Amino acid sequence: MPTGRTCQGVSANCAVGGTRSIVGAVSKLASMRDAVARLVPDGASVCLGTGLEAVIPFAGGHELIRQGKRDLTLIGPISDMLFDQLIGAGCCRKVVAAWVGNVIAGLGHNYRRAAERGVPHPIEVEDHSNFTLALGLLAGSLGAPYIPTRSLLGTGILESNRSLKLGTDPWAGDPLVLVPAIVPDVSIVHVQRADAEGNCHLWGTLGVSREAALAARAVIVVAEEIRPREQILADPNLVLVPSLKVGAVVHEPWGALPSPCQGFYSSLARQVGAGRSRLEGISGSARDRDPGASQGEGAPPLRSPRLRGPLMAHTALLHDLNVFRARALPAQPLGGGIGRGAEPPSEQ
Amino acid sequence: MTYTDRELMVIAAAREIGDGELIFVGMRLPLLAGMRLPLLAFALAKRTHAPRALGLFENGVVRESPAPETPFTMSDPPNIAGALWSTTTGNIMALLQQGLVDMGFIGGAEVDRYGNLNTSYIGDWKRPKVKLPGSGGGGDIASLAKRFVIIMPQEKHRFRERVDYITSPGHGDGRDWRRRVGLRGGGPSALITTLGVFRFHSETKEAYLASFHPGQTVESVRTQTGWDLRVAADVGPTPQPSAAELEIVRSCDPRGFWTR
């Protein structure tokens, strides 16, 4: 461990206390393996996939799978297909999400198997909308018990998600939905760049990344580039979350693929989507995407290569290359940078 | 002049956008081939009758011009660069909850006669026959936008008397249901399908067939509707796309990826 500190579990004191009283930078650089092993115990609630469709921390999610994590509560609005993969791998006991599927192909077949037939094991689903999930994390970040909203009144979501309560505006008397605070044990956020202490910049799509990082008891920052502290702190308004919340910093270039990362890469679908037939090749047949067509017949078997095979293989390959690179190569030389990233506009 | 049903749907959807309006474009129509239709409709409206419309996306993006290429996901770099604002999801949803958003597009796996949409569970939610992906931002748009437009393929099993589960609230069980449950947004104003365009009665709030697409008839639409369909007194064919409209749609989707 580069930090030279031991820190077991995910309590707030642990994540925060290690650096709070230290003057100057303390390196929290860690391999993905070590960061996940240290900060994500079995049974933890993990928020990941906070960029809606971008900067989904696939590398982090795949490490959860690799380490065989169990009984996780997955929290996130739209996770591309990462939640679907984690559910299929048996890592998940509960899903707190607005949308679980595959942003290109539609349905999440692992999610369907688990929710409909308990395969590989039953999961609990807490339905949200994008707004109520964002508000839950915002309440967590504010240290507030709940936040009221006018969204979702009259919907089935209020029935199937028992954590949402119907309330009344104490002044006007109007009906309101009360969204309780969501406080993840750990949030995994993918960013363009960070310093070794965990001060980081995210740009392009923010989604709920800031609320997720501020609400969590600990944060794993996954960065495309590691930059010098003075460069990150030259514009402290841009720092996503104060490093006192950060438990580990992982240097993992390409770690969000197949989702896009502004200034670094497009989604894999866009990269290979130059020709229609090729994209269809990875996104499956019309039947795969069509909930009506497969009603009553159950989902295709897991071994079906039609939808998941090639793309999973591709991401797994890319990810293993990343792991290999991360282990074989030292971290980026400080101050160097690869120079591919578009700078955020206000940075000099 | 030949065109596909999806091209016609894009053009019909674009005509629902008023100039100067704030439009929740979103991206998350649940069926693959429909997913990008709102984006294309927005692009078409901007280049024809609504040059001052603004588009919102739930990942945190406000755009005054359509992305230079149709992105594969709403968060791909072309949809971010050149945006008026790229912020948090919460900030975009805040505009919606303030009542500033004129119209939003949504879809669903099932719709019913009052425009309620289900994208969550087929069957009883406690023991679902099919677990669908869920709300995304759909429930928020349906709750909070001044009005919304539904885009869906029309098949009888999707057009139900009553949906199994309301993910995105339409007009509930009709009349003043939305006011009674406390919803501020105006509910669905149009339902654009592969077969025709439905609108909602000003008092009963029930969907009725306003126009059928070229090649369809009232009867052919009725056979794909799961409730006792009401029909506008002046029902007729959906206006044909103009050559200019088709040209713009095809320039936005040159390979026909979303519309062919």
Side-chain angles (χ1 to χ4, degrees):
Chain A
M1 279 297 301
T3 63
R5 292 175 176 276
T6 56
C7 178
Q8 302 296 325
V10 293
S11 77
N13 286 342
C14 171
V16 173
T19 57
R20 187 158 44 188
S21 61
I22 305 289
V23 176
V26 171
S27 174
K28 298 173 193 167
L29 281 170
S31 67
M32 187 68 86
R33 183 171 56 182
D34 290 344
V36 164
R38 182 161 55 90
L39 292 169
V40 190
D42 286 347
S45 61
V46 188
C47 184
L48 69 175
T50 58
L52 275 286
E53 291 187 358
V55 290
I56 308 296
F58 275 96
H62 291 174
E63 184 61 27
L64 296 174
I65 295 174
R66 199 174 283 115
Q67 294 188 17
K69 296 295 182 186
R70 287 291 177 269
D71 297 327
L72 300 178
T73 294
L74 302 177
I75 302 165
I78 292 174
S79 60
D80 199 321
M81 65 186 122
L82 182 55
F83 281 11
D84 194 57
Q85 294 173 342
L86 285 157
I87 291 164
C91 302
C92 169
R93 182 183 59 79
K94 181 177 176 182
V95 175
V96 181
W99 194 94
V100 176
N102 177 324
V103 296
I104 298 297
L107 291 176
H109 293 303
N110 294 312
Y111 185 42
R112 283 196 57 187
R113 267 185 292 275
E116 294 163 20
R117 290 189 273 131
V119 176
H121 53 72
I123 56 168
E124 185 184 342
V125 176
E126 205 168 276
D127 297 290
H128 274 274
S129 69
N130 284 341
F131 194 23
T132 59
L133 193 80
L135 290 175
L137 290 168
L138 178 62
S141 76
L142 293 172
Y146 64 90
I147 290 181
T149 176
R150 299 184 196 285
S151 196
L152 303 188
L153 289 162
T155 66
I157 298 174
L158 299 186
E159 283 180 49
S160 64
N161 178 350
R162 300 288 183 186
S163 83
L164 300 175
K165 293 205 183 303
L166 201 57
T168 305
D169 179 339
W171 291 275
D174 296 337
L176 293 170
V177 173
L178 309 183
V179 184
I182 298 172
V183 179
D185 289 326
V186 58
S187 285
I188 304 178
V189 294
H190 189 96
V191 302
Q192 281 90 349
R193 60 194 186 190
D195 68 17
E197 194 183 357
N199 303 296
C200 59
H201 291 173
L202 171 65
W203 65 92
T205 289
L206 298 179
V208 299
S209 295
R210 188 186 302 276
E211 294 92 330
L214 291 171
R217 297 189 173 93
V219 179
I220 297 175
V221 169
V222 185
E224 292 289 329
E225 293 181 347
I226 304 299
R227 295 287 190 95
R229 188 171 194 256
E230 53 272 24
Q231 192 180 359
I232 300 293
L233 297 185
D235 200 343
N237 280 135
L238 289 180
V239 172
L240 182 75
V241 56
S243 57
L244 62 87
K245 276 274 187 180
V246 176
V249 181
V250 179
H251 182 219
E252 187 86 65
W254 302 92
L257 212 65
S259 68
C261 181
Q262 193 76 13
F264 284 78
Y265 41 87
S266 296
S267 66
L268 189 63
R270 180 166 172 260
Q271 293 176 44
V272 303
R276 178 175 176 158
S277 57
R278 292 187 62 193
L279 184 61
E280 285 189 332
I282 61 166
S283 62
S285 68
R287 238 190 73 90
D288 274 331
R289 316 166 197 140
D290 185 345
S294 45
Q295 266 187 53
E297 295 175 53
L302 183 61
R303 62 181 177 276
S304 166
R306 283 184 299 180
L307 179 65
R308 224 148 286 291
L311 199 51
M312 275 288 280
H314 195 105
T315 31
L317 174 66
L318 282 165
H319 181 250
D320 287 346
L321 283 172
N322 289 340
V323 173
F324 172 76
R325 280 172 49 179
R327 287 174 187 160
L329 303 173
Q332 284 291 317
L334 294 184
I338 305 175
R340 292 165 295 145
E343 304 291 302
S346 62
E347 164 121 344
Q348 297 303 309
Chain B
M1 190 166 51
T2 59
Y3 48 86
T4 67
D5 58 355
R6 297 197 189 281
E7 286 172 335
L8 185 62
M9 288 168 83
V10 166
I11 289 161
R15 290 171 180 162
E16 299 294 320
I17 297 174
D19 195 18
E21 287 193 326
L22 191 52
I23 304 296
F24 207 111
V25 180
M27 300 293 287
R28 182 70 39 234
L29 296 192
L31 302 178
L32 174 72
M35 269 163 65
R36 292 341 182 234
L37 298 191
L39 196 71
L40 294 168
F42 176 62
L44 173 60
K46 287 291 296 186
R47 289 169 64 176
T48 51
H49 63 278
R52 295 180 301 121
L54 289 180
L56 300 181
F57 300 83
E58 60 257 54
N59 59 340
V61 171
V62 183
R63 291 197 68 92
E64 61 179 345
S65 57
E69 62 175 280
T70 308
F72 284 87
T73 81
M74 65 178 165
S75 301
D76 254 320
N79 202 39
I80 308 294
L84 284 183
W85 195 24
S86 186
T87 181
T88 65
T89 299
N91 284 343
I92 296 297
M93 293 299 182
L95 298 176
L96 194 59
Q97 187 161 250
Q98 286 176 36
L100 296 177
V101 175
D102 295 290
M103 190 266 272
F105 287 111
I106 58 178
E110 291 185 330
V111 67
D112 68 22
R113 68 194 300 163
Y114 294 109
N116 303 299
L117 290 155
N118 177 12
T119 53
S120 299
Y121 299 92
I122 305 286
D124 181 357
W125 64 264
K126 298 186 195 81
R127 283 190 60 83
K129 196 159 89 177
V130 182
K131 179 72 188 93
L132 298 164
S135 163
D140 304 313
I141 297 168
S143 297
L144 301 169
K146 288 182 192 169
R147 66 180 197 279
F148 66 90
V149 170
I150 305 163
I151 303 180
M152 275 183 64
Q154 184 164 355
E155 294 163 295
K156 188 162 191 168
H157 70 270
R158 300 181 186 284
F159 278 57
R160 307 271 308 271
E161 170 74 32
R162 190 79 176 144
V163 291
D164 291 328
Y165 180 102
I166 298 180
T167 312
S168 302
H171 292 293
D173 53 16
R175 300 202 179 262
D176 65 344
W177 179 85
R178 289 184 68 94
R179 191 186 58 75
R180 280 189 280 120
V181 299
L183 288 169
R184 294 273 177 107
S189 61
L191 162 59
I192 297 169
T193 81
T194 38
L195 305 183
V197 177
F198 297 70
R199 301 208 178 267
F200 293 85
H201 191 276
S202 60
E203 285 180 18
T204 67
K205 306 296 184 187
E206 181 179 336
Y208 62 88
L209 183 67
S211 72
F212 45 83
H213 295 336
Q216 301 297 328
T217 63
V218 170
E219 281 317 303
S220 72
V221 177
R222 197 187 298 279
T223 59
Q224 292 297 332
T225 304
W227 65 85
D228 181 16
L229 178 65
R230 294 179 199 278
V231 177
D234 61 347
V235 68
T238 307
Q240 295 267 359
S242 71
E245 286 172 323
L246 277 173
E247 190 183 327
I248 292 169
V249 171
R250 287 167 188 173
S251 75
C252 296
D253 186 22
R255 296 190 190 92
F257 195 94
W258 308 112
T259 52
R260 289 277 149 168

